[in-house]
Amino acid sequence: MTMFSIRTLVLLTLSLSGAAFAGGAGMPPLGGAMPPMNGGAKLADTNPPAAQNVAYARTSPTQTLDVYLPAGNGPFPAVFAIHGGAFKFGDKTGWSAPVGQALLKAGYAVVAVNYRLSGEALFPAAAQDVKAAVRFMRANAARYRLDPQRFGAYGESAGGNLAALLGTTGNNASLLDAPNLGNAGVSSAVRAVADLYGPNDFAAIDPLLRAQGCQSSQINHDTAAGFESLYLGSALPRVPAQVKQANPITYVDTGDAAFLIQNGGKDCNVGGGQGQLLADALTTAGVPFEKTFFPNAGHGGSDFESSANVQRIVSFFNRYLN
């Protein structure tokens, strides 16, 4: 499906539901962790990729990535950018262009990753894909002028969940590793993760939305039609084992990546408290993290892309990747 048709489908869904999506004020009828469309801005509009549609695995045509390089000779630290879209929509161009531009200016390579969406393959395919992408780039770091010891990840919404899984599973084997996707034995670990409004614990979404006083039409993630349920292949209450496996908190231990966690207090898509659940687990394990909470922000929006917050994100990676 082309990016145009994906965006058309998303907009049509929003129109039919009558939902005012921006800031989490409304939801498509299926529910789920839908990110804002970032105003249609793409990093490639201002910074053409140095390598485009690179295949990191061969199971699906979806398994491709784009590499953006900063000025200079390298080797460069790299941040893997993982798009949102409720695990169902979007592609590797659909994440924050201002963040990408700032990272390039600060001397980071950016690796934008496509992964199999729920309409093509169920969990754990998406998580296996992003881990395979990291393994591929680490195995081929010299070709792309990257420093394989300085990898980080950035994700928004569903991409935040996948980025967080990179951060908490890099030092332990799990079903999220798929050696058949290539570069078996190469580490998929990253040193730092920026998780922006990601749904960590799927089972907590509806309770969090109830506690926030969100509209009843938004409290539908536990149903079979909820985006997270579509991703796992069944209504969330029916698959507690998969809910646990998809939760980055499940894997938290002392060897994990450092985290930057950001959420909005009026997020009626996944719940503003998702970040605190992760923060509590990281605190218990003694993993370093920073947390930014925007009380009046929804699921994405201007608070997250303000110049001050973009600099906060870059500064975080500077602390842990340099």
Side-chain angles (χ1 to χ4, degrees):
M1 181 180 289
T2 66
M3 189 60 189
F4 175 79
S5 60
I6 290 169
R7 291 180 183 273
T8 302
L9 177 58
V10 174
L11 293 174
L12 178 60
T13 302
L14 294 174
S15 175
L16 292 174
S17 69
F21 179 72
M27 281 295 303
L30 289 178
M34 287 287 294
M37 300 304 290
N38 293 316
K42 301 176 183 179
L43 181 60
D45 293 340
T46 53
N47 301 84
Q52 193 168 18
N53 295 321
V54 177
Y56 62 81
R58 301 290 180 178
T59 301
S60 165
T62 303
Q63 294 165 322
T64 62
L65 55 79
D66 296 340
V67 182
Y68 299 84
L69 294 179
N73 297 319
F76 305 109
V79 174
F80 289 76
I82 308 174
H83 71 86
F87 306 101
K88 185 175 179 62
F89 303 106
D91 74 359
K92 54 186 164 56
T93 67
W95 55 281
S96 174
V99 171
Q101 291 162 356
L103 287 170
L104 289 172
K105 184 177 180 180
Y108 292 92
V110 175
V111 182
V113 182
N114 267 353
Y115 52 88
R116 286 172 288 173
L117 302 174
S118 60
E120 177 182 359
L122 300 179
F123 173 83
Q128 291 174 339
D129 283 355
V130 296
K131 290 172 73 69
V134 175
R135 292 199 308 270
F136 173 87
M137 292 307 294
R138 180 163 277 124
N140 293 278
R143 180 189 306 177
Y144 296 100
R145 294 189 284 151
L146 306 183
D147 182 345
Q149 303 303 314
R150 294 191 290 163
F151 280 4
Y154 167 93
E156 302 166 358
S157 192
N161 170 277
L162 296 172
L165 283 170
L166 283 176
T168 62
T169 67
N171 60 346
N172 55 67
S174 72
L175 88 163
L176 304 185
D177 287 294
N180 63 299
L181 296 183
N183 301 292
V186 177
S187 173
S188 64
V190 296
R191 286 172 47 182
V193 172
D195 173 4
L196 275 64
Y197 44 93
N200 297 304
D201 185 352
F202 296 171
I205 297 176
D206 280 351
L208 287 172
L209 301 189
R210 290 190 187 95
Q212 285 178 213
C214 297
Q215 299 174 13
S216 59
S217 61
Q218 298 167 308
I219 306 172
N220 55 15
H221 297 251
D222 286 346
T223 69
F227 284 132
E228 295 82 12
S229 296
L230 294 173
Y231 175 51
L232 299 188
S234 184
L236 299 181
R238 298 178 65 88
V239 287
Q242 288 95 318
V243 170
K244 183 177 181 180
Q245 291 161 351
N247 184 351
I249 296 169
T250 299
Y251 310 97
V252 169
D253 62 33
T254 56
D256 290 342
F259 273 79
L260 172 63
I261 304 167
Q262 298 197 329
N263 295 91
K266 295 182 178 179
D267 185 340
C268 281
N269 287 36
V270 304
Q274 285 286 342
Q276 190 59 50
L277 298 175
L278 177 57
D280 290 343
L282 296 174
T283 298
T284 299
V287 177
F289 71 91
E290 302 169 24
K291 185 172 182 292
T292 311
F293 187 72
F294 299 104
N296 296 314
H299 194 68
S302 59
D303 285 312
F304 297 95
E305 289 196 328
S306 69
S307 57
N309 195 56
V310 169
Q311 184 55 52
R312 183 180 288 118
I313 293 168
V314 172
S315 296
F316 165 75
F317 284 118
N318 285 344
R319 276 188 285 278
Y320 293 101
L321 297 185
N322 286 319

